[in-house]
Amino acid sequence: MVQKLIGLIGGMSWESSAEYYRIINELVRNRLGGLHSAKCLMWSFDFAEIEALQHAGRWDDATIEMIKAAQSLERGGADFLLICTNTMHRMADEVQAAINIPLIHIADPTAERIKAASFKKIGLLGTAFTMEQDFYKGRLINKHGLEVLVPNDDDRKTVHRIIYDELVQGEVKETSRQMYRDVIARIVEQGAEAIILGCTEIMLLVRAEDSSVPIYDTTAIHAEAAVELAITA
């Protein structure tokens, strides 16, 4: 078996990037056995700098930084790239246009998994940027034909706050888990057949038993897609 070199744009936050690294290496070991592990390069941002650009609405500046990271990984020999965060797929098209290697968009393998299970109406949890802007929902709707439900205004604020005030800082609280359970229950009441954990940190908090409908963890699905592409006969 031959392994391609996986490029990872991480550090947004490092809490979820560590999960990417763990999952990818566990999957490679399970696939190849023995002492095998993944061949990968990671560019890790100082998330404080990225978060400041996000909340200031300086998306053009953030895009420049993301392109620089992608080009650095390409020069380092990466065969393809992952952006290890849902929110920063806001500039996925610009990043892909600036490099000559493939970028696996996190929404695509997630949507394919959902469609394979014959679900049509899905709930989306993530940062306010992911839940409210069109870059993510639009891809699910227009490319994959899914109907996307998001929480109400108050619930979106709760979901976003917990991500930035707790999860990206490594804090996992039972009170916050209950809040997420309640948010999920309200989306299910709206008709959601499944829930996308559309922020790579949410998997640190929410488990399958916290939802009455199936949960799709974008971190794990994205990592699995990387390993599928990386290992060839």
Side-chain angles (χ1 to χ4, degrees):
M1 306 293 286
V2 177
Q3 281 198 65
K4 294 185 175 72
L5 184 61
I6 304 170
L8 302 167
I9 303 179
M12 302 172 286
S13 66
W14 72 259
E15 299 283 347
S16 60
S17 298
E19 292 300 310
Y20 268 91
Y21 188 76
R22 177 185 62 80
I23 294 167
I24 287 171
N25 279 285
E26 286 179 352
L27 290 170
V28 169
R29 182 176 60 193
N30 292 342
R31 179 79 68 87
L32 301 181
L35 299 178
H36 285 288
S37 58
K39 293 182 178 180
C40 61
L41 293 173
M42 179 179 286
W43 175 280
S44 188
F45 279 102
D46 177 353
F47 187 51
E49 297 174 357
I50 296 299
E51 184 273 341
L53 295 176
Q54 291 175 340
H55 285 92
R58 294 172 56 191
W59 294 106
D60 290 344
D61 292 334
T63 298
I64 291 170
E65 295 305 314
M66 292 290 288
I67 288 172
K68 288 179 182 177
Q71 292 173 337
S72 293
L73 289 170
E74 183 177 20
R75 288 194 299 271
D79 292 299
F80 63 91
L81 294 184
L82 276 68
I83 298 173
C84 301
T85 161
N86 287 269
T87 297
M88 298 304 278
H89 279 74
R90 189 183 195 277
M91 61 280 297
D93 291 343
E94 291 90 338
V95 171
Q96 179 63 88
I99 56 177
N100 298 304
I101 56 177
L103 171 70
I104 301 179
H105 195 295
I106 196 169
D108 292 340
T110 302
E112 293 300 336
R113 192 79 62 89
I114 289 167
K115 291 188 293 185
S118 299
F119 296 128
K120 297 291 186 183
K121 185 180 292 189
I122 55 170
L124 174 63
L125 301 182
T127 66
F129 313 115
T130 299
M131 293 185 289
E132 295 172 3
Q133 298 178 15
D134 193 53
F135 69 90
Y136 199 94
K137 292 185 297 181
R139 193 176 187 96
L140 295 172
I141 294 166
N142 299 322
K143 181 174 182 177
H144 296 284
L146 298 173
E147 182 178 349
V148 181
L149 304 175
V150 297
N152 62 41
D153 289 350
D154 289 341
D155 284 348
R156 290 200 304 273
K157 290 175 183 176
T158 296
V159 170
H160 182 88
R161 178 190 60 76
I162 289 170
I163 291 169
Y164 279 91
D165 291 353
E166 298 174 18
L167 298 181
V168 300
Q169 299 183 49
E171 294 184 20
V172 178
K173 299 179 179 179
E174 283 301 318
T175 53
S176 296
R177 178 174 286 117
Q178 185 57 54
M179 290 179 190
Y180 267 65
R181 288 190 189 115
D182 294 341
V183 171
I184 290 170
R186 284 189 281 272
I187 301 177
V188 172
E189 288 175 0
Q190 295 177 46
E193 301 167 318
I195 301 293
I196 292 177
L197 303 185
C199 170
T200 52
E201 282 82 22
I202 296 178
M203 56 90 73
L204 301 172
L205 180 68
V206 174
R207 301 168 295 209
E209 57 265 31
D210 295 318
S211 173
S212 61
V213 298
I215 282 177
Y216 288 84
D217 171 13
T218 53
T219 305
I221 294 170
H222 204 199
E224 289 165 14
V227 173
E228 285 297 318
L229 183 57
I231 297 179
T232 58

